[in-house]
Amino acid sequence: MEDNQNIQFQLTDALIEQVELFIELKNDKALRQLLEEFHYADIAEILDEVDLEDAMYVIKLLDSETTSDVLMELDEDNREKVLKNLSAKEIAEEIEELDTDDAADIIAELPENRQAEVISKIEDEDHKAEIKELLAYDEDTAGGLMAKELVKVYETWTVAGCLRRIRGQAQNVSRVHSIYVVDKEEKLVGRLSLKDLITAKSEQKIAELSNSNVDYVYVEEDVEDVAKIMQKYDLEAIPVVDQDKTLLGRITIDDIVDVIREEADKDYQLAAGISQDVEADDSILQLTKARLPWLVLGLFGGLGSVFIMKGFEDIMATVPNLFFYTPLIAAMAGNVGVQSSAIIVQGLANDNVKGSLFNRLIKEVGLSLINGFALALLVILFGYFIGQDTTESVAIAVSMMSVIVVAALVGTFVPIILDKRGIDPAIATGPFITTSNDILGIYLFFIIAGQIIGF
Amino acid sequence: MEDNQNIQFQLTDALIEQVELFIELKNDKALRQLLEEFHYADIAEILDEVDLEDAMYVIKLLDSETTSDVLMELDEDNREKVLKNLSAKEIAEEIEELDTDDAADIIAELPENRQAEVISKIEDEDHKAEIKELLAYDEDTAGGLMAKELVKVYETWTVAGCLRRIRGQAQNVSRVHSIYVVDKEEKLVGRLSLKDLITAKSEQKIAELSNSNVDYVYVEEDVEDVAKIMQKYDLEAIPVVDQDKTLLGRITIDDIVDVIREEADKDYQLAAGISQDVEADDSILQLTKARLPWLVLGLFGGLGSVFIMKGFEDIMATVPNLFFYTPLIAAMAGNVGVQSSAIIVQGLANDNVKGSLFNRLIKEVGLSLINGFALALLVILFGYFIGQDTTESVAIAVSMMSVIVVAALVGTFVPIILDKRGIDPAIATGPFITTSNDILGIYLFFIIAGQIIGF
């Protein structure tokens, strides 16, 4: 990485200044020459950094073949601003250059009143009809993710006829993963690869070459399930069909990579107490909206523990130590709960939480007893070291251990129960589990310590 | 999902019992027939559920073409056990069937003393040499991820000659993404697609068709950077070269999907306070090893706050309320810290933390002042509602607000500083940030409240 030449594009301040200078000088030729060298994803990175006016200048300068791809790669907030500054006609021109799935995504991002206007300006009638079809599907389903572009052959064709027609179809398909074989009713009956085709004899019938063992998903399948299927079977593309097995479209692995990343980001943000879809560079208002609700939840939890502790105010004079340990108890309850819930949520996401609930209960209790015991010993040792009353140390240690066991059980079973009820278990990680475990933990701590010390 | 026929394989208890029964009856024919229907990934799922003896029975029954793929899909712990029960000769037979990247991964998982033995039993000398080459690369680099299987053509060939030879090479390559064009010194000079080839005239020279604008990575590039490049440029395969641009291998998107998932899982687990690489179904000992260290860290933090609070024991009689609010303060400091660090860590991972540190400082202070102010109002309202002394309420609210600002700054800048020093910023999420913010928060809380109330 350090010294050797790095092929990865590096966005530098010098480059941005160069672009801004050419725009200021209206030196279109130099600007076009400079940008031509870059991949559209790199141009998008540059445009994400300059101000809107400059970005619009570049977008109007470059041809729509390039800018349509640049648009797709822009940061969502910036894309929204750029689209707002383009006329319906200009957006339609960009859309003509895009694959149907990207085209539908762009249109779906527009305000509703502009959508129909933009669609009406698309000149290619086939493209328009396909985009309209895609817009009808829920964005979280296979239909919402698929593209209409694919290479399709009829089982009755010969290899030679097939190659001839594929040369036509393939022009519209940026990457040919599989060739899908359909019967005369357009139903999916098999697949073959370009490799099969070029290694076959030209007079062979497609039906002979076609592999009928073809994976597919239904158009209403949830995108997360599509992602699981494609990952499990290492697929790079999968055809999408309706209930009659009519071939409707295909989903490619690059779209799935985005689904996987978004899913992982969402779970991570929920665990960290952030409503989804914010980035470090979003506005303060957006960030506040994403963060404040979770903090209010935490505040209510904290106020709950204020109440609980007020209830034990009487013993403050006799065993003040208990009060000094409450942040520790809350922290342990929270940490253990987060650990347990994170493991379960990840296990549920990867489909590897198996076996009976009872076995899981036994295991979680065993695990938390081991952890709790080790931590309790440390607490007793600490108490001995600072010359704390032994009964109090033992009471604190034992009740902490109980809190740890309960926190682990809450952390394990709340996500499982949510999942069984069809609710995303990831909401039970982070602030939700920490807050409830804080209150529960502090309450249990005083009750159990009270039993041992006797108050 | 509910009622319609689901094409996704569903592992049922009935199926597992069926498999176990056939094994018990030694009904090899029925067993083979049953398993033949399933994809190797499904067979692996079955074998992950039955006991080791039964799994070994199935592995010895099926041919190595199937079992080699099954092996790759097994849970890592189970694969280790299965490999332990196979002879060096048997492992070598499985490896003969695998692509070089998978073969090298399997060998790397073996205990060192068995590696050489297994390698010596591989009969195909070319395969053996390639695997040995791959084993020499660090597993976190492009070299450790790449496969030697690829389709390579010389720029001087004609389309017809090329197609003829590709028919040979393509047999060993499960998916042809791109055809790489090299010069006579084996240096990468371009690429072309099968589509380009079949749409070209047969007498054309490869050099005319070849696209010299080919992305590539160096063999020592970090896999995470390879993942970023492939995602950014939507690549499905990328060639790997040495410093002289000699073509060494290629990396495909399915391997990158695994890298992305592992990376996301690792960050998630660090945020939840779990050392990486544990699953819900791991043993209690493994889970304890992954969880206890973080809990001990949290315990030390908690004991730290015990010390701090003991230092303020004198004011317990006069302002007991402050002590009731410590879990709330710790929770807020922890939650705010986790939110800030999670946003920054995700931003760093996605390369979208840009701009100056000073601007980020201003923004984070502004953001936490807004959140803190809203929460402080709620605390004052709560105090009013429960009839708490107003000065105390204000003191608590104001010091909580200060704690929130400091916690946000710690959560934001610790990951940035770690990242600048080349340390994985993800370690600064979760228990690490919560624990330090807990201690710091409680200390600040008493100091600032003391200033306002006057003690």
Side-chain angles (χ1 to χ4, degrees), chain A residues 7 175 216 232 234 282, chain B residues 7 45 175 216 234 363:
Chain A
I7 65 144
R175 285 167 195 150
Y216 58 88
K232 180 172 167 188
D234 278 340
D282 280 348
Chain B
I7 65 145
E45 230 179 283
R175 286 167 194 147
Y216 57 90
D234 279 339
K363 184 172 180 181

Side-chain angles (χ1 to χ4, degrees), chain B residues 193-210:
Chain B
S193 67
L194 263 187
K195 198 180 86 182
D196 298 333
L197 213 53
I198 62 166
T199 49
K201 295 201 189 76
S202 58
E203 65 277 15
Q204 272 189 288
K205 276 272 192 309
I206 292 302
E208 293 169 43
L209 296 173
S210 167

